[in-house]
Amino acid sequence: LASGNAGILSRELTDALTDIIDKGKQAILLLNRRGYNVMVTCKSCSHVATCPNCSISLTYHNANHRMMCHYCGYSEEYTEKCSECGESNIRLSGYGTQKIEEELQTYFPEMRILRMDADTTMARFSHEEKLNAFANGEYDVMVGTQMVAKGLDFPNVTLVGVLNADRSLRSTDFKSSEKTFDLLTQVIGRSGRASDDGIALIQTVDPDNPIIELSSRQDYDAFYDMEILTRKMLTYPPYCDLLVCGFLGDSASRAMDAAHHMFSLIKSGVE
C-alpha cells in the first residue's frame, strides 16, 4: 500500500505468477474465504447485513448476486438499499475466492483459472473432476479455500501463494495459532514436490508474527514448544477441559435466565 499497490495481489506474487506461466508451470493460491465480498455494510447507518438464523455477517456472491450465510446456508437477494434505514448507500468490503478469480483474469487475461470452493464443488464428483483436470494441465492456477491445502500432489506446481494469511490469526478461538500454522505448513508443502524447486509467498501485514515465521520454515518443533507454553500459562487444553452449555427456547429472555441460573450453579459448585 505504501508503494502504491492497492490491489489484492502483491507485485511479488504477480511477478511470480508471470514467471511460472512463462515456464509452463502451475500455481496454487489459497484464500480461506469463499464468495466475492466478505461484508455488506450501510455507510449511512453502519448496519451490517446479517443472517437471521446465525446472527453472523452475510457474504456477497457475485455469481448469483445473493448474500449468503456460510454456516446455515440462508441466502437473500442483494440490494443496494439498506434494510435498516432505507438509504441506497451500501458498501461491499473484504474479498473472497470469487474476487481473486476476477482479479487474476484482469491481470492475466490468457490465464486458465480453476476455482475450488464449496460453491464450485457442490455437484456430485465435481471435486474429483476438477482436481483431475488440474493434474492433467488443463489449468494454470488453482484458487481455493482450505480444500486445496492438504493431501494434494501436483508435480507441476512450483508456486504457492497465501492471501490474507493474517485472517485466521485474528480469530477469538484459542486454537487460531494452531489452525493457522497447520494450514500454512500444509499448503506450503504443495509447492516443488517433484524435481523442480518450488517457492511459497505468504501475503501478510505482520511478517514478523512468530506463527507466520515458523510456518514459513515449517518448524513444527519450535511452534509446539511456544504454543504448549502459552496453553499452560492460560490454562487452555490440554491443561483443562472446555464445556459449552447451550440453551434453546421460544422466549429469548427465559433462555437467558436459564443460562444465568446454570452459570450460578456451576460457579457455586467450583467454590
Side-chain angles (χ1 to χ4, degrees):
L1 289 173
S3 61
N5 179 23
I8 298 172
L9 305 174
S10 66
R11 289 196 180 98
E12 288 84 354
L13 184 54
T14 53
D15 290 344
L17 286 168
T18 301
D19 185 57
I20 66 108
I21 297 301
D22 291 343
K23 293 179 179 178
K25 299 300 180 180
Q26 294 175 299
I28 294 176
L29 299 184
L30 169 70
L31 174 63
N32 203 21
R33 167 70 77 169
R34 62 190 175 101
Y36 190 84
N37 291 104
V38 177
M39 192 172 294
V40 183
T41 311
C42 176
K43 291 190 288 184
S44 297
C45 69
S46 300
H47 172 71
V48 177
T50 57
C51 174
N53 304 317
C54 307
S55 298
I56 63 168
S57 60
L58 297 174
T59 300
Y60 172 65
H61 287 247
N62 189 48
N64 57 6
H65 300 290
R66 297 187 69 83
M67 299 182 294
M68 303 178 64
C69 173
H70 290 172
Y71 282 81
C72 71
Y74 169 85
S75 73
E76 62 182 62
E77 186 177 356
Y78 170 73
T79 174
E80 294 185 353
K81 182 174 289 187
C82 176
S83 61
E84 190 73 13
C85 69
E87 294 290 329
S88 298
N89 198 12
I90 295 297
R91 174 176 178 262
L92 298 174
S93 60
Y95 55 89
T97 49
Q98 288 182 13
K99 180 74 171 179
I100 297 300
E101 181 183 25
E102 181 183 277
E103 181 141 330
L104 282 172
Q105 290 172 340
T106 301
Y107 277 107
F108 307 97
E110 305 301 321
M111 179 182 284
R112 299 170 299 169
I113 305 167
L114 172 64
R115 179 161 58 89
M116 292 285 294
D117 54 33
D119 297 316
T120 62
T121 58
M122 294 178 64
R124 190 180 184 187
F125 304 126
S126 62
H127 186 272
E128 293 80 3
E129 291 171 356
K130 291 179 182 297
L131 291 181
N132 288 334
F134 186 74
N136 293 333
E138 298 177 27
Y139 296 94
D140 302 311
V141 176
M142 178 163 60
V143 180
T145 54
Q146 61 183 352
M147 66 174 64
V148 306
K150 301 180 181 181
L152 303 179
D153 187 3
F154 300 114
N156 205 37
V157 171
T158 58
L159 171 66
V160 162
V162 181
L163 309 177
N164 198 6
D166 312 275
R167 178 178 173 270
S168 57
L169 283 174
R170 295 192 294 266
S171 169
T172 56
D173 185 357
F174 76 92
K175 294 183 290 186
S176 61
S177 295
E178 179 184 358
K179 291 179 178 178
T180 301
F181 179 86
D182 175 56
L183 188 61
L184 291 181
T185 53
Q186 287 283 351
V187 73
I188 287 171
R190 302 309 103 201
S191 177
R193 296 180 66 84
S195 57
D196 296 312
D197 291 334
I199 63 170
L201 295 176
I202 302 175
Q203 289 192 179
T204 170
V205 297
D206 187 14
D208 297 323
N209 187 290
I211 305 301
I212 293 178
E213 172 65 26
L214 293 173
S215 300
S216 68
R217 301 204 312 259
Q218 296 184 300
D219 191 343
Y220 173 77
D221 291 335
F223 167 75
Y224 176 84
D225 291 340
M226 180 182 69
E227 182 67 10
I228 201 68
L229 180 61
T230 303
R231 299 278 186 96
K232 185 175 183 179
M233 292 173 60
L234 298 176
T235 319
Y236 280 143
Y239 296 98
C240 74
D241 292 320
L242 297 181
L243 173 66
V244 177
C245 297
F247 295 85
L248 301 175
D250 296 332
S251 168
S253 60
R254 292 183 64 188
M256 183 66 74
D257 290 341
H260 284 304
H261 180 63
M262 174 61 78
F263 178 71
S264 299
L265 292 176
I266 294 174
K267 201 175 173 186
S268 62
V270 172
E271 294 173 354

